[in-house]
Amino acid sequence: MAALSEDMKNRIRAFIPKYPRKQAVTLPALHLVHDELRTVSNEAIVEIAEILELHPSEVHDTMTFYAFFKGEGEKLGTTRLWVCRGLACMLRGAYELIEHCEHKLGVHCGQTTADGKVTLEFAECIGACDGAPACLIEDVHAMNVTPEKADQLITELKLK
Amino acid sequence: MPYEPVLLARINKPNSGKLEGYRADGGYETIARVLKDKQPLDVTTQVKDAGLRGRGGAGFPTGLKWTFLPKDHPGPVYLCVNADESEPCTYNNRILMEKDPHQVLEGIMLACYAIKSPKAFYYVRYEYGDSYRSLAAAVEELYAAGFLGKGIFGSSFDLDIVLHRGAGAYICGEETGLIESLEGKRAWPRIKPPFPAIEGAFRKPTIVNNVETLACVTQIMKRGKEWFQSLGVPPDPKNPRDAGSYGPKLYTLAGHVEKSVCVEVPMGITIRDLVEKHGGGVWKGRKAKAVNPGGLSMGFVDVNAPLKGEDGKTEYDIPLDFNGPGRVQCLGLGTAAVTVIDDQTSMVDVLHNVCQFFSHESCGQCTPCREGTGWMLKITDRLRRGLGRKEDLDILVDVADRIGIMPGTTICGLSDGAGWPVKTAIRKFRAEFEAAIKSGAKSKYAKSLTMAGAH
């Protein structure tokens, strides 16, 4: 069975006219697949490569450079929760916040909760330094996150 | 007279990101007028004469960069907008993109007209989801209004803008790393020359400009070069390499300040004024110990160190222009992101955090950077665990000195940037590091955070 639906393939193809070369669609395609399937399997890589007329190893090479993407054998939870540990966040309690979230979720950074709901990660800097310590929920900033606010966020994410 | 913000003038207006609101404030009148009355070279000349220097970190003169494009190239020529703002403590571009995307988009139109580019690739870091959505909505509004595409504003100039999302890698902010990433490859910076202006995105001549720089282009073309030159600081006569620091600038405050805000003031404001007048002072009534004046890679300022030749002044009083931080052994103005560190914070912990960042974000292409940043992380980790050795501080400075671009050991500036905070922290706060080694005390963070398997 194909990893990508016909609809996903068409949405990838729709990016092609925007760029002078098909290879430039690699990141948009990886984002599209990763958002929807929460991982990019080897089979998905082969199918992306076919659309972009690349060798699968070229797509794989690009994908693995960005530790952002989860590959074969890894899968994100329903929601990705990043806690920023950049300097501004560290100065305002990020390390304590990471530890708090690890305890609350029962996982270490890089892991997904047993119910598959939340993947906890740390980020190097999410550019939300005016709201330090800050988190990123998928791609939305949560600012000035206290341990209490983190508990509330986690409860909401668990309900998704 | 207090300075009236221009770049941030619209950010608190309701619907500041909407086309209708932007037009009500005179938006897109400048590009329409320029397309009608001026030649592309006129735009370049005005930006060049205004003395605009890039706001992304390096401070290279923007108009001069545009003139590096080959004169008779058959085309196409591209503009890449660098919105991969990932230097810790920096968020000025985010404010512009989220709150006033049209001001930036008008700057893109003006820049593209100046360099005769039919297409701009707007590279936005992944973490800026709200910026991306704000820009995407703005670009959609422009196409719907007929302001992008074929013959914009009734001229014969065609322009398309393509939004492109990054995937969480600091190195994509380096201009050739950005180009490689845009092309669908790993973001390994390219060996230069050729510089992007000669051979950039898709092997075509390319200009890479920062978001705030492009917002300044809008204002220069709207208000004139004289207005721009009336703000900021003229060149330092004692420094023949200083090209002046003209115009308004966005400064971001972060860390131990009462108010972490993005403020717009003319170039040349001192760190002290910025923190005390705009940041509400150091938090919790404490005192500042160190300041990172412009993003981690710029190094540290020792707030209590006397400023040579200036009675009663300290490094806290240096002006934040392109020339100022260099006077206190920092790399430069950088992104003008000011991070305050209070006197109750351990510089060992701060330096470990910095080394952690650069080691994580080194792209791994050049051995001195890949290994050097990892080596510095290992040593600082040892220090915070209370296992530091007497010779560690000299080794740190030695590694930091050797991995930079100055001896020509690496392709891009990441390793150089990784070295400055190490060199300045050890040189300026050596006594604190020595005391930590002598006491063998563990940092309060030493045992926590396994960070196993994390991105």
Side-chain angles (χ1 to χ4, degrees):
Chain A
M1 205 177 87
L4 310 186
S5 66
E6 208 43 48
D7 173 58
M8 287 166 83
K9 286 181 183 173
N10 284 336
R11 282 190 285 147
I12 293 171
R13 287 184 193 111
F15 281 108
I16 294 173
K18 296 178 176 211
Y19 298 93
R21 288 188 200 161
K22 285 185 177 177
Q23 188 171 9
V25 178
T26 304
L27 276 191
L30 287 170
H31 272 304
L32 198 145
V33 174
H34 196 246
D35 278 353
E36 199 149 318
L37 305 179
R38 312 302 286 168
T39 181
V40 186
S41 64
N42 288 344
E43 198 166 18
I45 288 175
V46 171
E47 290 172 29
I48 292 171
E50 266 172 26
I51 299 171
L52 303 182
E53 293 174 32
L54 298 169
H55 194 279
S57 67
E58 291 175 285
V59 177
H60 186 261
D61 181 62
T62 300
M63 184 185 100
T64 51
F65 177 80
Y66 304 91
F68 176 88
F69 298 112
K70 298 284 179 190
E72 186 81 16
E74 305 170 291
K75 194 168 180 176
L76 286 176
T78 313
T79 310
R80 201 172 197 178
L81 170 66
W82 312 74
V83 186
C84 182
R85 70 171 190 189
L87 182 62
C89 288
M90 172 218 155
L91 292 172
R92 298 176 79 106
Y95 288 175
E96 292 84 349
L97 185 62
I98 291 178
E99 211 167 356
H100 179 85
C101 292
E102 287 187 328
H103 286 303
K104 179 82 184 170
L105 290 165
V107 294
H108 286 305
C109 283
Q111 297 175 335
T112 302
T113 52
D115 60 4
K117 293 280 188 183
V118 184
T119 301
L120 178 68
E121 289 177 81
F122 67 80
E124 287 298 345
C125 180
I126 58 173
C129 323
D130 45 344
C135 294
L136 196 66
I137 297 161
E138 291 294 306
D139 67 357
V140 179
H141 288 143
M143 313 283 244
N144 303 305
V145 184
T146 56
E148 297 73 38
K149 195 168 169 182
D151 288 349
Q152 199 187 325
L153 284 173
I154 287 169
T155 308
E156 284 164 21
L157 296 182
K158 286 277 199 178
L159 292 173
K160 276 190 183 177
Chain B
M1 208 169 66
Y3 172 73
E4 196 65 38
V6 170
L7 300 169
L8 298 184
R10 304 185 61 257
I11 62 165
N12 291 322
K13 290 192 169 188
N15 289 328
S16 63
K18 294 271 179 269
L19 177 60
E20 197 186 332
Y22 188 64
R23 291 194 77 193
D25 291 334
Y28 295 114
E29 281 172 13
T30 307
I31 178 69
R33 179 175 48 78
V34 165
L35 286 170
K36 201 163 152 246
D37 301 340
K38 289 189 188 289
Q39 293 301 311
L41 188 59
D42 299 334
V43 180
T44 303
T45 306
Q46 185 155 329
V47 169
K48 206 170 145 190
D49 290 352
L52 172 62
R53 293 172 65 176
R55 275 23 182 173
F60 194 82
T62 305
L64 183 64
K65 194 192 239 185
W66 294 354
T67 65
F68 292 163
L69 291 165
K71 298 285 172 286
D72 305 313
H73 195 275
V77 166
Y78 296 121
L79 175 76
C80 285
V81 184
N82 187 345
D84 195 81
E85 175 179 69
S86 308
E87 183 82 0
C89 307
T90 309
Y91 53 92
N92 38 17
N93 289 344
R94 192 192 91 227
I95 305 290
L96 284 174
M97 292 190 285
E98 277 180 14
K99 308 281 189 185
D100 197 0
H102 283 290
Q103 180 184 198
V104 182
L105 292 168
E106 189 169 6
I108 293 173
M109 292 176 179
L110 290 160
C112 283
Y113 180 61
I115 66 171
K116 301 179 189 168
S117 164
K119 200 166 237 183
F121 295 101
Y122 200 133
Y123 192 105
V124 189
R125 69 180 299 205
Y126 174 81
E127 293 84 346
Y128 282 3
D130 286 338
S131 296
Y132 179 80
R133 283 179 282 276
S134 180
L135 285 164
V139 167
E140 203 173 303
E141 281 183 307
L142 289 176
Y143 275 110
F147 291 178
L148 280 176
K150 291 270 171 213
I152 68 170
F153 296 95
S155 70
S156 56
F157 181 60
D158 306 335
L159 179 64
D160 284 300
I161 298 178
V162 177
L163 293 180
H164 191 92
R165 293 192 86 167
Y170 173 69
I171 198 62
C172 295
E174 197 277 345
E175 60 178 4
T176 57
L178 183 149
I179 289 169
E180 287 284 305
S181 178
L182 171 70
E183 290 184 357
K185 296 178 263 177
R186 46 179 55 216
W188 273 0
R190 292 179 183 169
I191 294 172
K192 296 170 279 278
F195 287 92
I198 304 299
E199 192 180 295
F202 310 103
R203 301 286 164 199
K204 301 292 181 192
T206 300
I207 294 294
V208 184
N209 281 151
N210 164 266
V211 170
E212 188 187 334
T213 309
L214 290 160
C216 285
V217 168
T218 304
Q219 298 302 332
I220 290 169
M221 296 313 294
K222 183 177 179 179
R223 293 161 200 273
K225 59 186 179 195
E226 292 79 12
W227 160 80
F228 197 77
Q229 290 235 322
S230 72
L231 300 167
V233 187
D236 177 1
K238 284 184 247 162
N239 181 356
R241 292 173 65 194
D242 182 24
S245 305
Y246 295 111
K249 179 79 194 82
L250 302 186
Y251 294 89
T252 53
L253 282 157
H256 293 152
V257 277
E258 279 295 340
K259 288 185 283 179
S260 293
V261 285
C262 176
V263 292
E264 178 190 341
V265 285
M267 284 258 195
I269 187 169
T270 65
I271 302 178
R272 187 189 296 276
D273 279 354
L274 206 56
V275 173
E276 290 178 2
K277 290 182 186 161
H278 298 277
V282 182
W283 77 339
K284 299 181 180 177
R286 294 181 191 167
K287 286 192 165 57
K289 171 162 71 178
V291 171
N292 173 244
L296 294 190
S297 55
M298 296 299 115
F300 292 101
V301 163
D302 176 358
V303 167
N304 299 307
L307 202 54
K308 255 190 201 163
E310 297 199 39
D311 270 355
K313 289 192 176 175
T314 72
E315 291 190 0
Y316 208 25
D317 296 291
I318 56 152
L320 288 171
D321 53 40
F322 287 112
N323 210 16
R327 287 169 54 195
V328 292
Q329 296 83 49
C330 287
L331 181 53
L333 175 68
T335 58
V338 176
T339 309
V340 178
I341 296 154
D342 74 17
D343 56 356
Q344 295 187 23
T345 302
S346 157
M347 286 305 285
V348 177
D349 284 336
V350 168
L351 194 60
H352 175 259
N353 178 278
V354 171
C355 290
Q356 201 167 235
F357 175 82
F358 286 111
S359 172
H360 191 275
E361 296 301 323
S362 170
C363 80
Q365 189 179 195
C366 309
T367 309
C369 177
R370 183 183 66 243
E371 300 301 319
T373 53
W375 193 358
M376 296 194 299
L377 173 60
K378 278 182 194 160
I379 297 176
T380 52
D381 186 52
R382 198 152 72 211
L383 296 179
R384 75 179 189 138
R385 287 175 192 277
L387 302 170
R389 308 167 194 159
K390 221 168 64 184
E391 62 272 25
D392 277 345
L393 302 182
D394 290 334
I395 297 174
L396 268 177
V397 174
D398 196 34
V399 174
D401 270 335
R402 284 165 195 263
I403 65 170
I405 49 169
M406 294 318 284
T409 56
T410 55
I411 292 168
C412 86
L414 190 144
S415 57
D416 208 32
W420 283 88
V422 174
K423 287 185 273 189
T424 49
I426 304 291
R427 284 175 187 153
K428 296 182 182 187
F429 300 94
R430 193 172 182 109
E432 188 180 331
F433 284 92
E434 282 174 347
I437 292 171
K438 205 173 162 194
S439 76
K442 269 188 187 175
S443 152
K444 61 177 173 175
Y445 301 124
K447 66 169 175 50
S448 64
L449 302 177
T450 56
M451 304 291 191
H455 155 45

PDB file of all heavy atoms in Angstrom, chain B residues 99-121:
ATOM      1  N   LYS B  99       3.086  41.412  13.093  1.00  0.00           N
ATOM      2  CA  LYS B  99       2.233  42.580  13.288  1.00  0.00           C
ATOM      3  C   LYS B  99       2.114  43.501  12.076  1.00  0.00           C
ATOM      4  O   LYS B  99       1.122  44.204  11.944  1.00  0.00           O
ATOM      5  CB  LYS B  99       2.758  43.420  14.474  1.00  0.00           C
ATOM      6  CG  LYS B  99       2.980  42.635  15.743  1.00  0.00           C
ATOM      7  CD  LYS B  99       1.696  42.388  16.468  1.00  0.00           C
ATOM      8  CE  LYS B  99       1.974  41.788  17.834  1.00  0.00           C
ATOM      9  NZ  LYS B  99       0.752  41.422  18.535  1.00  0.00           N
ATOM     10  N   ASP B 100       3.159  43.565  11.264  1.00  0.00           N
ATOM     11  CA  ASP B 100       3.105  44.490  10.129  1.00  0.00           C
ATOM     12  C   ASP B 100       3.755  43.856   8.895  1.00  0.00           C
ATOM     13  O   ASP B 100       4.733  44.379   8.353  1.00  0.00           O
ATOM     14  CB  ASP B 100       3.816  45.809  10.507  1.00  0.00           C
ATOM     15  CG  ASP B 100       3.453  46.943   9.567  1.00  0.00           C
ATOM     16  OD1 ASP B 100       2.661  46.715   8.627  1.00  0.00           O
ATOM     17  OD2 ASP B 100       3.958  48.069   9.770  1.00  0.00           O
ATOM     18  N   PRO B 101       3.197  42.737   8.444  1.00  0.00           N
ATOM     19  CA  PRO B 101       3.850  42.013   7.329  1.00  0.00           C
ATOM     20  C   PRO B 101       3.902  42.830   6.046  1.00  0.00           C
ATOM     21  O   PRO B 101       4.843  42.692   5.260  1.00  0.00           O
ATOM     22  CB  PRO B 101       2.968  40.775   7.149  1.00  0.00           C
ATOM     23  CG  PRO B 101       1.637  41.132   7.746  1.00  0.00           C
ATOM     24  CD  PRO B 101       1.945  42.074   8.872  1.00  0.00           C
ATOM     25  N   HIS B 102       2.919  43.707   5.844  1.00  0.00           N
ATOM     26  CA  HIS B 102       2.891  44.447   4.576  1.00  0.00           C
ATOM     27  C   HIS B 102       4.055  45.435   4.447  1.00  0.00           C
ATOM     28  O   HIS B 102       4.522  45.700   3.352  1.00  0.00           O
ATOM     29  CB  HIS B 102       1.551  45.175   4.418  1.00  0.00           C
ATOM     30  CG  HIS B 102       0.444  44.238   4.016  1.00  0.00           C
ATOM     31  ND1 HIS B 102       0.376  43.653   2.778  1.00  0.00           N
ATOM     32  CD2 HIS B 102      -0.615  43.753   4.709  1.00  0.00           C
ATOM     33  CE1 HIS B 102      -0.684  42.873   2.695  1.00  0.00           C
ATOM     34  NE2 HIS B 102      -1.314  42.903   3.871  1.00  0.00           N
ATOM     35  N   GLN B 103       4.501  45.966   5.584  1.00  0.00           N
ATOM     36  CA  GLN B 103       5.653  46.872   5.529  1.00  0.00           C
ATOM     37  C   GLN B 103       6.877  46.134   4.972  1.00  0.00           C
ATOM     38  O   GLN B 103       7.642  46.667   4.170  1.00  0.00           O
ATOM     39  CB  GLN B 103       5.960  47.407   6.934  1.00  0.00           C
ATOM     40  CG  GLN B 103       7.131  48.344   6.972  1.00  0.00           C
ATOM     41  CD  GLN B 103       7.509  48.797   8.376  1.00  0.00           C
ATOM     42  OE1 GLN B 103       8.195  49.780   8.535  1.00  0.00           O
ATOM     43  NE2 GLN B 103       7.100  48.088   9.398  1.00  0.00           N
ATOM     44  N   VAL B 104       7.039  44.877   5.403  1.00  0.00           N
ATOM     45  CA  VAL B 104       8.153  44.061   4.920  1.00  0.00           C
ATOM     46  C   VAL B 104       7.929  43.696   3.452  1.00  0.00           C
ATOM     47  O   VAL B 104       8.851  43.759   2.627  1.00  0.00           O
ATOM     48  CB  VAL B 104       8.300  42.781   5.778  1.00  0.00           C
ATOM     49  CG1 VAL B 104       9.496  41.967   5.312  1.00  0.00           C
ATOM     50  CG2 VAL B 104       8.430  43.120   7.259  1.00  0.00           C
ATOM     51  N   LEU B 105       6.687  43.345   3.115  1.00  0.00           N
ATOM     52  CA  LEU B 105       6.389  42.943   1.732  1.00  0.00           C
ATOM     53  C   LEU B 105       6.600  44.117   0.760  1.00  0.00           C
ATOM     54  O   LEU B 105       7.065  43.917  -0.358  1.00  0.00           O
ATOM     55  CB  LEU B 105       4.958  42.398   1.636  1.00  0.00           C
ATOM     56  CG  LEU B 105       4.748  41.058   2.368  1.00  0.00           C
ATOM     57  CD1 LEU B 105       3.266  40.718   2.502  1.00  0.00           C
ATOM     58  CD2 LEU B 105       5.472  39.917   1.663  1.00  0.00           C
ATOM     59  N   GLU B 106       6.294  45.317   1.201  1.00  0.00           N
ATOM     60  CA  GLU B 106       6.556  46.478   0.335  1.00  0.00           C
ATOM     61  C   GLU B 106       8.072  46.652   0.147  1.00  0.00           C
ATOM     62  O   GLU B 106       8.537  46.980  -0.944  1.00  0.00           O
ATOM     63  CB  GLU B 106       5.928  47.765   0.911  1.00  0.00           C
ATOM     64  CG  GLU B 106       6.018  48.916  -0.086  1.00  0.00           C
ATOM     65  CD  GLU B 106       5.191  50.144   0.289  1.00  0.00           C
ATOM     66  OE1 GLU B 106       4.615  50.174   1.392  1.00  0.00           O
ATOM     67  OE2 GLU B 106       5.124  51.074  -0.536  1.00  0.00           O
ATOM     68  N   GLY B 107       8.821  46.401   1.205  1.00  0.00           N
ATOM     69  CA  GLY B 107      10.283  46.449   1.102  1.00  0.00           C
ATOM     70  C   GLY B 107      10.799  45.414   0.109  1.00  0.00           C
ATOM     71  O   GLY B 107      11.745  45.670  -0.643  1.00  0.00           O
ATOM     72  N   ILE B 108      10.174  44.245   0.116  1.00  0.00           N
ATOM     73  CA  ILE B 108      10.567  43.190  -0.837  1.00  0.00           C
ATOM     74  C   ILE B 108      10.306  43.663  -2.261  1.00  0.00           C
ATOM     75  O   ILE B 108      11.141  43.495  -3.162  1.00  0.00           O
ATOM     76  CB  ILE B 108       9.778  41.890  -0.541  1.00  0.00           C
ATOM     77  CG1 ILE B 108      10.213  41.320   0.801  1.00  0.00           C
ATOM     78  CG2 ILE B 108       9.971  40.868  -1.663  1.00  0.00           C
ATOM     79  CD1 ILE B 108       9.371  40.138   1.264  1.00  0.00           C
ATOM     80  N   MET B 109       9.139  44.287  -2.478  1.00  0.00           N
ATOM     81  CA  MET B 109       8.814  44.781  -3.829  1.00  0.00           C
ATOM     82  C   MET B 109       9.856  45.801  -4.283  1.00  0.00           C
ATOM     83  O   MET B 109      10.329  45.753  -5.425  1.00  0.00           O
ATOM     84  CB  MET B 109       7.434  45.450  -3.821  1.00  0.00           C
ATOM     85  CG  MET B 109       6.293  44.488  -3.595  1.00  0.00           C
ATOM     86  SD  MET B 109       4.754  45.444  -3.480  1.00  0.00           S
ATOM     87  CE  MET B 109       3.569  44.133  -3.245  1.00  0.00           C
ATOM     88  N   LEU B 110      10.213  46.711  -3.383  1.00  0.00           N
ATOM     89  CA  LEU B 110      11.191  47.749  -3.726  1.00  0.00           C
ATOM     90  C   LEU B 110      12.558  47.139  -4.014  1.00  0.00           C
ATOM     91  O   LEU B 110      13.227  47.497  -4.990  1.00  0.00           O
ATOM     92  CB  LEU B 110      11.297  48.766  -2.577  1.00  0.00           C
ATOM     93  CG  LEU B 110      10.072  49.671  -2.397  1.00  0.00           C
ATOM     94  CD1 LEU B 110      10.043  50.276  -1.002  1.00  0.00           C
ATOM     95  CD2 LEU B 110      10.067  50.778  -3.460  1.00  0.00           C
ATOM     96  N   ALA B 111      12.957  46.187  -3.168  1.00  0.00           N
ATOM     97  CA  ALA B 111      14.268  45.548  -3.372  1.00  0.00           C
ATOM     98  C   ALA B 111      14.276  44.759  -4.677  1.00  0.00           C
ATOM     99  O   ALA B 111      15.250  44.812  -5.441  1.00  0.00           O
ATOM    100  CB  ALA B 111      14.591  44.647  -2.185  1.00  0.00           C
ATOM    101  N   CYS B 112      13.194  44.034  -4.935  1.00  0.00           N
ATOM    102  CA  CYS B 112      13.142  43.235  -6.166  1.00  0.00           C
ATOM    103  C   CYS B 112      13.186  44.133  -7.407  1.00  0.00           C
ATOM    104  O   CYS B 112      13.819  43.802  -8.402  1.00  0.00           O
ATOM    105  CB  CYS B 112      11.891  42.359  -6.188  1.00  0.00           C
ATOM    106  SG  CYS B 112      12.049  40.920  -5.133  1.00  0.00           S
ATOM    107  N   TYR B 113      12.510  45.275  -7.322  1.00  0.00           N
ATOM    108  CA  TYR B 113      12.546  46.210  -8.448  1.00  0.00           C
ATOM    109  C   TYR B 113      13.981  46.719  -8.634  1.00  0.00           C
ATOM    110  O   TYR B 113      14.494  46.759  -9.767  1.00  0.00           O
ATOM    111  CB  TYR B 113      11.591  47.372  -8.179  1.00  0.00           C
ATOM    112  CG  TYR B 113      11.547  48.396  -9.287  1.00  0.00           C
ATOM    113  CD1 TYR B 113      11.146  48.041 -10.574  1.00  0.00           C
ATOM    114  CD2 TYR B 113      11.915  49.727  -9.050  1.00  0.00           C
ATOM    115  CE1 TYR B 113      11.108  48.978 -11.598  1.00  0.00           C
ATOM    116  CE2 TYR B 113      11.879  50.674 -10.073  1.00  0.00           C
ATOM    117  CZ  TYR B 113      11.484  50.294 -11.342  1.00  0.00           C
ATOM    118  OH  TYR B 113      11.456  51.231 -12.358  1.00  0.00           O
ATOM    119  N   ALA B 114      14.633  47.052  -7.520  1.00  0.00           N
ATOM    120  CA  ALA B 114      16.004  47.570  -7.604  1.00  0.00           C
ATOM    121  C   ALA B 114      16.959  46.555  -8.232  1.00  0.00           C
ATOM    122  O   ALA B 114      17.819  46.915  -9.028  1.00  0.00           O
ATOM    123  CB  ALA B 114      16.498  47.959  -6.211  1.00  0.00           C
ATOM    124  N   ILE B 115      16.794  45.295  -7.875  1.00  0.00           N
ATOM    125  CA  ILE B 115      17.750  44.290  -8.388  1.00  0.00           C
ATOM    126  C   ILE B 115      17.198  43.550  -9.605  1.00  0.00           C
ATOM    127  O   ILE B 115      17.800  42.606 -10.092  1.00  0.00           O
ATOM    128  CB  ILE B 115      18.159  43.285  -7.279  1.00  0.00           C
ATOM    129  CG1 ILE B 115      16.980  42.426  -6.817  1.00  0.00           C
ATOM    130  CG2 ILE B 115      18.808  44.008  -6.101  1.00  0.00           C
ATOM    131  CD1 ILE B 115      17.357  41.277  -5.888  1.00  0.00           C
ATOM    132  N   LYS B 116      16.021  43.973 -10.058  1.00  0.00           N
ATOM    133  CA  LYS B 116      15.351  43.386 -11.232  1.00  0.00           C
ATOM    134  C   LYS B 116      15.086  41.900 -11.047  1.00  0.00           C
ATOM    135  O   LYS B 116      15.395  41.079 -11.917  1.00  0.00           O
ATOM    136  CB  LYS B 116      16.177  43.638 -12.498  1.00  0.00           C
ATOM    137  CG  LYS B 116      16.412  45.099 -12.787  1.00  0.00           C
ATOM    138  CD  LYS B 116      17.259  45.254 -14.036  1.00  0.00           C
ATOM    139  CE  LYS B 116      17.700  46.698 -14.213  1.00  0.00           C
ATOM    140  NZ  LYS B 116      18.730  46.865 -15.209  1.00  0.00           N
ATOM    141  N   SER B 117      14.546  41.578  -9.900  1.00  0.00           N
ATOM    142  CA  SER B 117      14.246  40.174  -9.618  1.00  0.00           C
ATOM    143  C   SER B 117      12.750  39.918  -9.758  1.00  0.00           C
ATOM    144  O   SER B 117      11.940  40.626  -9.160  1.00  0.00           O
ATOM    145  CB  SER B 117      14.684  39.831  -8.187  1.00  0.00           C
ATOM    146  OG  SER B 117      14.094  38.622  -7.784  1.00  0.00           O
ATOM    147  N   PRO B 118      12.381  38.896 -10.529  1.00  0.00           N
ATOM    148  CA  PRO B 118      10.954  38.608 -10.691  1.00  0.00           C
ATOM    149  C   PRO B 118      10.391  37.719  -9.586  1.00  0.00           C
ATOM    150  O   PRO B 118       9.213  37.416  -9.571  1.00  0.00           O
ATOM    151  CB  PRO B 118      10.912  37.860 -12.025  1.00  0.00           C
ATOM    152  CG  PRO B 118      12.242  37.151 -12.080  1.00  0.00           C
ATOM    153  CD  PRO B 118      13.229  38.031 -11.343  1.00  0.00           C
ATOM    154  N   LYS B 119      11.264  37.262  -8.698  1.00  0.00           N
ATOM    155  CA  LYS B 119      10.797  36.314  -7.691  1.00  0.00           C
ATOM    156  C   LYS B 119      11.569  36.462  -6.388  1.00  0.00           C
ATOM    157  O   LYS B 119      12.791  36.574  -6.389  1.00  0.00           O
ATOM    158  CB  LYS B 119      10.994  34.894  -8.222  1.00  0.00           C
ATOM    159  CG  LYS B 119      10.143  33.871  -7.506  1.00  0.00           C
ATOM    160  CD  LYS B 119      10.114  32.567  -8.274  1.00  0.00           C
ATOM    161  CE  LYS B 119       8.714  32.158  -8.620  1.00  0.00           C
ATOM    162  NZ  LYS B 119       8.548  30.922  -9.283  1.00  0.00           N
ATOM    163  N   ALA B 120      10.812  36.480  -5.279  1.00  0.00           N
ATOM    164  CA  ALA B 120      11.448  36.511  -3.959  1.00  0.00           C
ATOM    165  C   ALA B 120      11.082  35.230  -3.226  1.00  0.00           C
ATOM    166  O   ALA B 120       9.908  34.850  -3.194  1.00  0.00           O
ATOM    167  CB  ALA B 120      10.973  37.724  -3.175  1.00  0.00           C
ATOM    168  N   PHE B 121      12.075  34.587  -2.669  1.00  0.00           N
ATOM    169  CA  PHE B 121      11.835  33.417  -1.822  1.00  0.00           C
ATOM    170  C   PHE B 121      11.964  33.867  -0.370  1.00  0.00           C
ATOM    171  O   PHE B 121      13.012  34.363   0.039  1.00  0.00           O
ATOM    172  CB  PHE B 121      12.839  32.302  -2.127  1.00  0.00           C
ATOM    173  CG  PHE B 121      12.683  31.747  -3.512  1.00  0.00           C
ATOM    174  CD1 PHE B 121      13.537  32.137  -4.529  1.00  0.00           C
ATOM    175  CD2 PHE B 121      11.660  30.865  -3.809  1.00  0.00           C
ATOM    176  CE1 PHE B 121      13.388  31.655  -5.818  1.00  0.00           C
ATOM    177  CE2 PHE B 121      11.501  30.373  -5.092  1.00  0.00           C
ATOM    178  CZ  PHE B 121      12.359  30.765  -6.099  1.00  0.00           C
TER     179      PHE B 121
END
